Amino acid sequence: MGRNVKTKAKRKNKKKAEASSSEIPSIPTRVWQPGVDTLEDGEELQCDPSAYNSLHGFHVGWPCLSFDILGDKLGLNRTEFPHTLYMVAGTQAEKAAHNSIGLFKITNVSGKRRDVVPKTFGNGEDEDEDDEDDSDSDDDDGDEASKTPNIQVRRVAHHGCVNRIRAMPQNSHICVSWADSGHVQVWDMSSHLNALAESETEGKDGTSPVLNQAPLVNFSGHKDEGYAIDWSPATAGRLLSGDCKSMIHLWEPASGSWAVDPIPFAGHTASVEDLQWSPAEENVFASCSVDGSVAVWDIRLGKSPALSFKAHNADVNVISWNRLASCMLASGSDDGTFSIRDLRLIKGGDAVVAHFEYHKHPITSIEWSAHEASTLAVTSGDNQLTIWDLSLEKDEEEEAEFKAQTKELVNTPQDLPPQLLFVHQGQKDLKELHWHNQIPGMIISTAGDGFNILMPYNIQNTLPSELPA
């Protein structure tokens, strides 16, 4: 089926908007294409609020270029606004001693669910005005302050920049951080999460003092710093860490602590950039590397990969294993391409089931949706966050019907891939995104200029009406 593509940015001619409408006719809204369109003098980009059920941005001082969403006890498959969420993030401060790990409680994430096809349009009213009125009506009885999320934070000192941070899926108060000092540290954040859960004021708006706390484990066995790290979804406490010297170490939980195998997994010839445990087999994991390859390993079969293949013609920066379709592995490259492979076909020949060259700058993050097996999101150095639905095919008849129903004036580019479902813009130096496992359709992204919480309005309609518990 086909779906309309909505984008965060739309184009407006500033100079002409200031002129009298009687002098210059109105100009239809255009979809902005980064790398294709250019801004002329007096033109600016504007956010289209009608493209979102919810959109919020915030920053917390130093950039936090890695974060994770924490599992909570507020319920599965939450759909009613306002939302509350918890997350952990690590800073990238100018001085090593200024860095910290932040535990965040974000409440009052407001928004409104919309139909993809509006039921009615006001007679004689412009569509943009209708969208604007709709987007502003999510809290008819409140003011702007009532729509702003409340942010509380607890900070723990962390020596050195946090290259990457991840929370254990089975026990979200246990987190692991990769530092640029070359140390991998495991932290127990339970006291801080409990304090946030019980308090409505402590550390509000990021004003919390930085607390000193010793990590549970401080591993210094890597020969260099790294970025690759992942908790096992099947075996609580099992962990992998990979470094820039191409080595991967396995961590096993042991008597309230961890035992790190001193003999690394070796097979890549350059930096290991990302690691992902299989969602279906507890002893299997995948890795990707600057050497352009992706490897699949079985920890029962020794320290060499069970299979390895050339995935891209440049560095492979990130991978994501589909938790709802465990045969599918996505990978993103430094050349801006990303691919999806069916691992069942690796040994038989070409396993690539989809390959996209839409982005022209390095892929910095890629992640499958937790609620829809065919949907994944991507961030790139071109400052775009894109969402893709691999089940989509171009349907010209359906697109024409949609435009007729909505009286759409947007001139959607004809050369966009039909699988491209949504384009989000506005952040600079995008680094990482995560889907919220318990709030369908919610994505959080981080960049050099802060965080965005977004819920595209058309993503809601790709999800099943009744989600499994």
Side-chain angles (χ1 to χ4, degrees):
M1 63 179 292
R3 288 198 185 90
N4 184 49
V5 176
K6 278 285 188 178
T7 68
K8 178 177 188 280
K10 63 180 182 180
R11 182 172 175 158
K12 172 184 175 183
N13 190 298
K14 188 175 182 181
K15 286 184 177 178
K16 293 184 178 181
E18 293 172 349
S20 169
S21 59
S22 61
E23 298 174 1
I24 300 175
S26 60
I27 300 175
T29 299
R30 284 188 55 199
V31 174
W32 171 257
Q33 298 182 84
V36 177
D37 295 327
T38 58
L39 285 177
E40 298 177 6
D41 291 342
E43 288 187 323
E44 64 180 8
L45 295 179
Q46 289 191 334
C47 172
D48 182 358
S50 69
Y52 298 87
N53 285 345
S54 182
L55 176 62
H56 301 281
F58 63 95
H59 60 85
V60 292
W62 295 113
C64 297
L65 302 185
S66 183
F67 75 102
D68 206 0
I69 300 173
L70 304 181
D72 58 49
K73 299 179 181 179
L74 302 177
L76 299 175
N77 304 322
R78 308 197 292 270
T79 59
E80 299 300 321
F81 290 104
H83 288 295
T84 293
L85 60 96
Y86 292 83
M87 53 181 270
V88 60
T91 64
Q92 298 262 332
E94 289 183 354
K95 295 183 179 180
H98 293 170
N99 283 289
S100 64
I101 295 173
L103 279 297
F104 297 85
K105 177 185 180 182
I106 306 174
T107 58
N108 196 42
V109 179
S110 60
K112 181 179 180 179
R113 297 172 65 179
R114 298 182 182 84
D115 294 327
V116 168
V117 179
K119 297 178 181 178
T120 59
F121 285 98
N123 292 331
E125 292 184 356
D126 182 79
E127 182 183 1
D128 285 345
E129 293 177 0
D130 184 87
D131 286 343
E132 186 173 348
D133 292 342
D134 186 31
S135 66
D136 290 339
S137 64
D138 55 355
D139 190 356
D140 294 333
D141 299 326
D143 54 19
E144 287 301 317
S146 69
K147 304 175 188 176
T148 303
N150 297 318
I151 303 171
Q152 299 173 62
V153 61
R154 299 265 296 192
R155 300 180 187 274
V156 174
H158 185 278
H159 187 76
C161 295
V162 178
N163 290 347
R164 194 158 288 175
I165 191 163
R166 293 289 183 264
M168 187 192 302
Q170 298 87 351
N171 299 294
S172 59
H173 63 279
I174 302 295
C175 303
V176 60
S177 63
W178 235 130
D180 65 357
S181 63
H183 291 227
V184 182
Q185 298 176 322
V186 177
W187 306 81
D188 184 349
M189 300 297 190
S190 55
S191 63
H192 308 294
L193 287 174
N194 290 337
L196 288 175
E198 296 170 1
S199 172
E200 296 299 327
T201 59
E202 183 173 2
K204 191 172 182 179
D205 299 324
T207 59
S208 171
V210 178
L211 307 173
N212 290 315
Q213 176 179 323
L216 294 176
V217 177
N218 181 23
F219 178 64
S220 58
H222 282 283
K223 304 302 182 183
D224 196 357
E225 66 175 310
Y227 295 84
I229 203 161
D230 195 38
W231 293 101
S232 168
T235 303
R238 181 175 280 175
L239 178 67
L240 290 165
S241 57
D243 61 37
C244 294
K245 293 292 186 182
S246 77
M247 298 299 146
I248 303 168
H249 285 275
L250 174 66
W251 303 47
E252 293 283 9
S255 303
S257 185
W258 279 262
V260 185
D261 191 339
I263 303 174
F265 294 91
H268 288 294
T269 59
S271 173
V272 175
E273 296 293 282
D274 202 4
L275 291 160
Q276 286 268 292
W277 284 100
S278 166
E281 300 180 71
E282 64 178 354
N283 296 305
V284 176
F285 70 90
S287 61
C288 66
S289 171
V290 168
D291 63 18
S293 72
V294 168
V296 179
W297 315 68
D298 188 325
I299 64 175
R300 299 165 297 183
L301 302 179
K303 302 297 183 178
S304 298
L307 63 92
S308 180
F309 53 90
K310 187 72 171 179
H312 295 271
N313 294 322
D315 305 1
V316 187
N317 297 330
V318 286
I319 51 176
S320 180
W321 211 319
N322 194 322
R323 285 175 287 177
L324 301 178
S326 61
C327 60
M328 296 296 174
L329 184 74
S331 59
S333 174
D334 219 42
D335 62 9
T337 66
F338 66 97
S339 301
I340 292 87
R341 286 177 169 81
D342 186 335
L343 296 178
R344 297 170 299 181
L345 306 177
I346 290 292
K347 293 183 178 180
D350 187 8
V352 177
V353 296
H355 178 77
F356 297 97
E357 299 180 357
Y358 170 82
H359 291 285
K360 305 305 179 186
H361 291 76
I363 304 299
T364 57
S365 184
I366 190 166
E367 187 170 289
W368 291 98
S369 166
H371 297 98
E372 175 56 57
S374 63
T375 301
L376 76 163
V378 176
T379 60
S380 169
D382 60 14
N383 299 325
Q384 294 185 78
L385 185 160
T386 54
I387 303 174
W388 303 75
D389 187 342
L390 302 186
S391 68
L392 298 182
E393 296 180 359
K394 189 174 181 63
D395 189 327
E396 294 181 356
E397 182 177 338
E398 183 174 310
E399 288 183 3
E401 181 181 352
F402 181 92
K403 288 185 177 182
Q405 285 181 282
T406 61
K407 303 177 183 178
E408 184 174 340
L409 298 178
V410 173
N411 298 315
T412 305
Q414 296 301 306
D415 56 346
L416 292 178
Q419 295 81 13
L420 179 58
L421 190 63
F422 196 90
V423 178
H424 171 74
Q425 299 178 73
Q427 292 178 277
K428 296 180 180 179
D429 195 22
L430 270 163
K431 288 298 183 183
E432 200 167 278
L433 73 88
H434 296 295
W435 296 84
H436 199 299
N437 290 338
Q438 296 170 255
I439 305 177
M442 175 180 282
I443 292 175
I444 303 178
S445 57
T446 188
D449 56 358
F451 290 91
N452 274 189
I453 301 172
L454 56 140
M455 298 181 72
Y457 93 115
N458 58 343
I459 302 302
Q460 175 86 35
N461 295 272
T462 71
L463 303 174
S465 57
E466 293 186 4
L467 296 165

